[in-house]
Amino acid sequence: GAGVSQSPSNKVTEKGKDVELRCDPISGHTALYWYRQRLGQGLEFLIYFQGNSAPDKSGLPSDRFSAERTGESVSTLTIQRTQQEDSAVYLCASSFGTGKGNTQYFGPGTRLTVL
Amino acid sequence: RKEVEQDPGPFNVPEGATVAFNCTYSNSASQSFFWYRQDCRKEPKLLMSVYSSGNEDGRFTAQLNRASQYISLLIRDSKLSDSATYLCVVNRNYGQNFVFGPGTRLSVLP
């Protein structure tokens, strides 16, 4: 079956512009996660959705970052007034549930470059 | 202290070598444990789950010690294609649920 997909695969933008990154999780997966990974660094948790609700937004680095999920499916991560330090790969993952025995599956990521 | 810690690496080993990675976690309420691998400029992919009794998948063996809050991954007969970063992942039933370690980089040399 189809895996997690993300779009665009690459995004180059100018400092100060807004960007929207999209994630399509695996069908039927109720949980969806956003991470950021800077070059040569580990995964940085941003936000997690259970259904359309976000129980944990603790990783969002500033109020310029927001995310939503609709229809218990697609999610959009929006970064307003982008800064050069926002340059990174943004990874989305989904899982069937969140409890014991569940596994995360990742999309290929969106590589964001802020000039 | 980070919730999940790993050997910093990098590990540079010759083909055919056996290599072991260690991971420790601080949250005793952790429920499930995994090893992921991440190739350069690619997304993480599940390598194997880690079961209480320990489990093996071909050349890969994972062990869990709940008392010591310690997970290990053993790779036997290393191949060039094993070169990657290995991520230890712990699942808990609250918050972000899946907590990733910083990863250990492995380079298998010809």
Side-chain angles (χ1 to χ4, degrees), chain B residues 1 4 8 16 21 24-25 27 33 40 42 45-46 55 60 62-63 65 70 72 77 80 84 86-87 91-92 101 103:
Chain B
R1 184 187 171 199
V4 180
F21 303 137
T24 57
Y25 61 95
N27 189 337
F33 309 90
C40 190
K42 297 284 190 181
K45 291 188 177 176
L46 178 67
N55 48 300
F60 299 83
Q63 296 281 348
N65 184 324
Y70 169 94
S72 66
D77 188 24
L80 295 176
Y86 289 82
L87 302 167
N91 171 268
R92 47 172 161 83

Side-chain angles (χ1 to χ4, degrees), chain B residues 5-82:
Chain B
E5 298 198 84
Q6 296 185 241
D7 290 337
F11 283 59
N12 298 314
V13 303
E15 266 187 293
T18 295
V19 60
F21 303 137
N22 300 319
C23 170
T24 57
Y25 61 95
S26 59
N27 189 337
S28 59
S30 301
Q31 303 181 106
S32 310
F33 309 90
F34 310 90
W35 284 101
Y36 279 67
R37 70 171 277 169
Q38 185 173 26
D39 292 280
C40 190
R41 300 174 77 86
K42 297 284 190 181
E43 73 273 22
K45 291 188 177 176
L46 178 67
L47 178 65
M48 58 196 302
S49 301
V50 186
Y51 303 123
S52 297
S53 55
N55 48 300
E56 190 174 304
D57 183 1
R59 298 181 293 108
F60 299 83
T61 301
Q63 296 281 348
L64 168 64
N65 184 324
R66 283 190 184 270
S68 301
Q69 296 182 195
Y70 169 94
I71 306 155
S72 66
L73 176 68
L74 183 78
I75 305 176
R76 291 182 300 279
D77 188 24
S78 301
K79 311 290 185 193
L80 295 176
S81 57
D82 294 335

